[in-house]
Amino acid sequence: MLFQLSFPLSQEPGSVRFATLLPWLSFVFSRLLYLGSTLAESILVSRSLLPSFTSLRLFDILFARMKPSLIVHGGAWDIPDEAVEACHAGCRRALEAGWAILSRDGSALDAVEAAIIVLEDEPVFDAGYGSHLNLDGRVECDAIIMNGANLRAGAAAGLQRVKNPIRLARKILENCPHMMLVADGAERFATKHGLDLCDPEDLICEAEREAWRRCSQDKHAVAHHRGHEQDTVGAVALDREGRLFAGTSTGGTCCKLPGRVGDSPLIGCGCYADSEAGGVSCTGYGEAIMKVVMAKMAADFLRVSPSQHDCPAPQKPSASAKSSAPEKPRVSIHLGSDLESETHHTEHHPYGAPFEPCGPNFHAMLAARETVHLLAKRTHATGGLILLDREGNPGFAFNTPRMAYGYVDTDGTLMTWV
Ligand code: GLY
């Protein structure tokens, strides 16, 4: 990079105008500082002495770069106790894969793709390998990835021979004049752009084949499917350059009709990203999520000025006050009187860090909760979502018994919840 810049010397020998050199010197200085801060951080990390305020953060602040942020999910469903560990481990590996990219100044696009590939490869989740089977006993996958900067998405549906559907979604995002391809056309596009097609059998795990057999002999029942009907995986990332991407991938619902496409690959339904608002990935019953255009709804809640949703400023004591009871926060997002019973957002996380009331992600949490509240209110269905607001603050909500998800804190601490 340095060597491609033309050195701005004056024509007169020996005379160099300081003003002309200033941007150049500042560039060299910034790179040296970055190098020094990265080295210092490596030393601190290797000695396990990394403080929450690292030299790298100082660099970010000095040069107005974004804090990278990553949130992932492995679906909102009735996760049985015996699957909890696998869900934690899957989310953790996805966070590690994405964070390895973001923490080295990589792009949010790479991070979302890497995280979702891990989730697709983990058979406990309904995406890629281990997806639910359709009525014909075949896997049909859908995926989408969306760029918050230009609102462009790449989506694919009805895939039977693509091992990692999110890879194809990215190829479509980057190389296709259209934003969504399905079935055979999508698979032809995959081959043309360097993705190998797999044997459809390679996507089927034994547990799902067994569930499908039991449904075929009896009738479709949740009990045959490890207690769940649908779920999905997803990730949202913000990188240091401020690029925001969201992605979602799914095997859809179990015993679905061949050709059925749910919410996941549909822009605004299973996924949405807008750098002016935030990025969202949804999970749950697709036919209901489509009705409320759930991911876009969450992004619209994020778009509303945070100042309208902030905690109120502390009230000055009033001499005329008759009661010492604190005033209710003036939150203009409607929480709904029945929300607490509908939405399992506090049960496992009693507002522990990083999800503090009135903390930096208060607005993100309200947006997530309100969206799930409206899904339940308008469709009586279940689901959940993860999101990052435009600053990278995380939010999540679900009204299923459990959701598998994880987040990387700003100091690089990985956290997962089920
Ligand atoms: N949310 C996944 C599906 O319904 O297809």
Side-chain angles (χ1 to χ4, degrees), residues 319-336:
S320 60
K322 292 195 177 121
S323 158
S324 61
E327 268 190 35
K328 277 192 171 180
R330 286 170 289 128
V331 177
S332 48
I333 282 183
H334 168 64
L335 282 171

Side-chain angles (χ1 to χ4, degrees), residues 126 142 230-232 250-253 256 260-265 282-287 289:
D126 175 31
D142 313 324
Q230 77 281 319
D231 54 87
T232 296
T250 189
T253 51
K256 63 188 179 184
R260 177 262 186 193
V261 176
D263 63 296
S264 301
C282 299
T283 160
Y285 186 52
E287 278 69 11
I289 290 173

Side-chain angles (χ1 to χ4, degrees), residues 138-258:
R138 298 172 77 93
V139 163
E140 279 184 319
C141 290
D142 313 324
I144 182 171
I145 197 159
M146 183 166 178
N147 181 351
N150 58 11
L151 307 182
R152 193 174 154 71
L159 307 173
Q160 297 196 9
R161 295 182 296 159
V162 177
K163 182 169 175 287
N164 291 111
I166 198 70
R167 283 192 205 273
L168 175 54
R170 179 177 180 165
K171 294 277 184 201
I172 292 168
L173 175 78
E174 293 181 323
N175 302 301
C176 186
H178 313 302
M179 293 218 296
M180 186 173 190
L181 298 175
V182 303
D184 185 49
E187 292 180 353
R188 271 192 278 153
F189 186 89
T191 325
K192 195 170 163 212
H193 288 85
L195 292 183
D196 291 334
L197 297 185
C198 65
D199 186 327
E201 288 289 308
D202 293 347
L203 296 173
I204 301 178
C205 76
E206 205 34 54
E208 287 300 328
R209 195 192 302 278
E210 183 52 31
W212 177 81
R213 262 196 222 112
R214 276 191 249 144
C215 290
S216 310
Q217 285 159 8
D218 179 10
K219 61 176 184 263
H220 167 66
V222 175
H224 297 327
H225 291 272
R226 292 176 286 168
H228 64 114
E229 298 233 46
Q230 77 281 319
D231 54 87
T232 296
V233 306
V236 186
L238 179 76
D239 64 29
R240 283 196 206 277
E241 307 301 327
R243 293 169 294 209
L244 178 77
F245 281 81
T248 304
S249 181
T250 189
T253 51
C254 46
C255 298
K256 63 188 179 184
L257 287 174

Side-chain angles (χ1 to χ4, degrees), residues 25-26 38 43 82 95 123 129 155 158 179 181 188-189 196 233 235 272-273 281 323 342 346 356 358 397-398 412-413:
L25 287 172
S26 133
T38 308
I43 293 163
E82 56 273 21
L95 290 175
Y129 173 64
M179 293 218 296
L181 298 175
R188 271 192 278 153
F189 186 89
D196 291 334
V233 306
Y272 200 72
S281 175
S323 158
E342 279 177 6
T346 56
E356 295 162 11
C358 306
F398 52 100
T413 307

